Amino acid sequence: MKSFEVNFDGLVGPTHNYGGLSFGNVASQSNSQQASNPKEAALQGLEKMKALMDMGFVQGVLAPQERPDVAALRSVGFGGSDAQVIERAAKEAMPLLVASCSASSMWVANAATVSPSADTADGRVHFTAANLNCKFHRSIEHPTTSRVLGAMFADQDHFAHHAALPAVAQFGDEGAANHTRFCRDYGEAGVEFFVYGRSAFDSRYPAPQKYPARQTLEASQAVARLHGLSDEGVVFAQQNPAVIDQGVFHNDVIAVGNGELLFHHQDAFLNTEQTLAELHGKMAARGANFQSISVPRDQVAVEDAVRSYLFNSQLLTRANGSMLLIVPEECRANPRVWQYLQGLIASAGPIAEVKVFDLKQSMQNGGGPACLRLRVALNEKELSAVNPGVIMTPALYETLTQWVSKHYRDALRENDLADPQLLIECRTALDELTHILNLGSVYPFQIN
Ligand code: SUG
């Protein structure tokens, strides 16, 4: 049976803004308070989806969330009508209003961890929504994420959904941003690679000193258990705490993998040799030939990786078996990174081509091409069980670009978030979107 890796990209929501909400994420902190352009952000994202579809990849779309999240504001004590809740939060606790307005669900690499059916004990595709509990603005995503994923992957014969892990820092889980699956073919059993930043219960593991380690070993282990993965099919590795302190807040800022290949920075992991040897051994036992490309720090420093998002790229297998790397414009703007990439393509290795995309609106919040997509490996039967409304087609692309042009503002600053009209605009747009994508009722304003 044929199998595919489908990229489901997060559609940028109407409240995309620069709130400076993510301590430890250099771009988020340094662009705080700038004016954003939600319309441009959404169109940039759609452009990437269309380009992948045009290249022959199966491309999906994941809906944004209702923001401002009035229910989140009510849960911390703001009352009255929806407009009054927003007005009071703006007056008394602007940082909470900003957090409740974040369009951060666009970075769907953090929406969930997904294990394909070939890896799981019950032969279904498993999803665990990420609790994202390191940051308030992200911790409020998972209930809607679960409903949206449930509406996209509804067939229980093929898809199993797990609620987010317990909402405590000890089970901090950031989803697929710290998870990579290696395999020979998407439909064959592979090796799932979980990268954590610290251990919550075992003090022998080192931890970063300056910035938070968002993912714990215990959360990664819990997800592997929930998904019914076998010991032969998993590798756990610790991220180098020193790079977290340099702004590598997720492993996908310093490494990306696909098929049999891991593309990573020399300093990405704590015990690199041991990690690579384990991956090699477990892949060999699956009949696969694991390969890795280590980018040396004297060619690309960690700081260059963080600024350019070289590793927050999409590594895709083309029909002829060679690989394509989708990188953001910021890679072309960095001479060391760009030179490295030219050498990489010329080396006749597995990565044959680099394509550059303008994702500046998202990049300024620390979200590159890889952050914007959730990968779901599916066989033909499973693909036909996915809600067809969320699979990108030329017609859907046209509809969504028109929908964005109709509903989105082209500038948003902090004081605009206090405008109760923004909530009405957002709900109107999302109500229409649930019809376009055939999702049913998934938003709090639709179900309460
Ligand atoms: O969680 N930025 C996101 C970026 C997530 C990137 N995802 C991956 N690497 N997979 C975050 O830090 C910033 C929002 C703001 O500052 O307005 C933010 O949430």
Side-chain angles (χ1 to χ4, degrees):
M1 201 182 333
K2 260 179 97 170
S3 53
F4 312 83
E5 177 188 88
V6 185
N7 284 274
F8 290 87
D9 275 44
L11 184 56
V12 178
T15 59
H16 160 64
N17 74 97
Y18 299 120
L21 298 170
S22 282
F23 176 64
N25 168 343
V26 178
S28 155
Q29 290 183 267
S30 54
N31 293 305
S32 174
Q33 309 284 318
Q34 277 197 36
S36 65
N37 185 335
K39 188 179 284 181
E40 185 176 57
L43 294 176
Q44 285 175 345
L46 280 165
E47 189 80 9
K48 172 164 88 77
M49 297 184 223
K50 179 180 190 299
L52 263 72
M53 172 186 70
D54 288 346
M55 284 185 257
F57 296 104
V58 186
Q59 176 69 50
V61 57
L62 225 154
Q65 302 204 353
E66 178 187 343
R67 295 289 181 269
D69 186 336
V70 178
L73 292 172
R74 288 187 190 281
S75 77
V76 292
F78 298 102
S81 66
D82 289 346
Q84 284 167 334
V85 167
I86 291 167
E87 192 188 319
R88 285 179 189 164
K91 215 187 289 164
E92 296 167 32
M94 196 57 191
L96 291 182
L97 177 63
V98 175
S100 81
C101 287
S102 178
S104 55
S105 69
M106 72 172 91
W107 301 298
V108 293
N110 305 116
T113 306
V114 186
S115 294
S117 57
D119 296 351
T120 63
D122 68 0
R124 293 189 294 169
V125 183
H126 282 246
F127 299 80
T128 296
N131 62 25
L132 298 172
N133 76 346
C134 183
K135 312 281 177 209
F136 174 61
H137 73 286
R138 302 223 60 184
S139 70
I140 57 181
E141 292 173 26
H142 70 85
T144 297
T145 299
S146 289
R147 281 193 297 273
V148 173
L149 288 175
M152 296 165 66
F153 305 95
D155 186 335
Q156 292 184 9
D157 289 342
H158 293 295
F159 308 119
H161 295 274
H162 305 279
L165 296 177
V168 287
Q170 287 155 318
F171 281 109
D173 178 21
E174 300 276 320
N178 296 311
H179 171 261
T180 310
R181 176 177 185 257
F182 298 103
C183 59
R184 197 171 57 174
D185 181 273
Y186 295 121
E188 291 177 12
V191 174
E192 300 198 18
F193 182 43
F194 291 85
V195 181
Y196 55 91
R198 68 186 173 97
S199 165
F201 294 105
D202 190 337
S203 57
R204 286 171 302 177
Y205 291 82
Q209 301 299 304
K210 189 173 160 198
Y211 292 144
R214 298 193 195 183
Q215 180 86 30
T216 67
L217 167 62
E218 291 77 5
S220 298
Q221 289 169 329
V223 172
R225 267 192 303 271
L226 284 165
H227 291 193
L229 305 181
S230 66
D231 287 346
E232 302 76 53
V234 291
V235 172
F236 297 97
Q238 184 162 6
Q239 205 182 344
N240 179 356
V243 302
I244 296 179
D245 280 339
Q246 289 173 80
V248 182
F249 57 98
H250 289 135
N251 180 59
D252 71 3
V253 176
I254 196 123
V256 59
N258 171 49
E260 295 171 301
L261 180 66
L262 170 63
F263 178 58
H264 69 97
H265 191 274
Q266 177 180 6
D267 295 325
F269 310 111
L270 190 60
N271 301 305
T272 310
E273 262 177 53
Q274 188 191 318
T275 301
L276 296 179
E278 196 179 343
L279 284 168
H280 203 277
K282 289 187 169 171
M283 284 287 278
R286 299 270 201 238
N289 177 26
F290 177 73
Q291 285 175 276
S292 60
I293 300 176
S294 171
V295 179
R297 69 177 82 88
D298 60 8
Q299 286 186 45
V300 175
V302 172
E303 195 193 338
D304 290 317
V306 170
R307 283 184 188 282
S308 67
Y309 264 39
L310 166 63
F311 298 97
N312 199 261
S313 45
Q314 284 181 257
L315 192 52
L316 302 162
T317 303
R318 301 189 296 188
N320 67 5
S322 69
M323 288 196 200
L324 164 68
L325 194 69
I326 303 277
V327 300
E329 274 292 355
E330 286 72 3
C331 285
R332 186 150 53 190
N334 181 309
R336 287 171 299 281
V337 169
W338 195 240
Q339 193 183 349
Y340 174 81
L341 283 172
Q342 301 311 304
L344 181 71
I345 297 162
S347 70
I351 302 178
E353 195 187 349
V354 170
K355 273 196 194 295
V356 181
F357 282 82
D358 180 3
L359 296 163
K360 187 159 182 237
Q361 285 290 326
S362 167
M363 282 290 288
Q364 292 189 143
N365 256 339
C371 300
L372 286 162
R373 59 93 174 98
L374 182 67
R375 297 190 277 188
V376 185
L378 298 166
N379 63 34
E380 271 173 319
K381 260 200 202 140
E382 291 156 355
L383 180 58
S384 61
V386 175
N387 178 344
V390 298
I391 301 296
M392 189 55 80
T393 60
L396 180 59
Y397 171 78
E398 284 308 319
T399 306
L400 290 175
T401 49
Q402 280 165 22
W403 172 82
V404 167
S405 304
K406 174 172 159 200
H407 294 285
Y408 282 46
R409 299 191 186 186
D410 55 16
L412 213 50
R413 292 178 194 79
E414 193 180 88
N415 56 352
D416 297 320
L417 304 178
D419 174 6
Q421 185 59 31
L422 187 63
L423 175 66
I424 296 167
E425 284 170 28
C426 183
R427 286 179 175 170
T428 306
L430 294 184
D431 205 38
E432 205 175 303
L433 183 70
T434 49
H435 291 106
I436 295 172
L437 300 179
N438 193 24
L439 291 175
S441 297
V442 288
Y443 296 115
F445 75 91
Q446 295 175 318
I447 55 185
N448 290 329

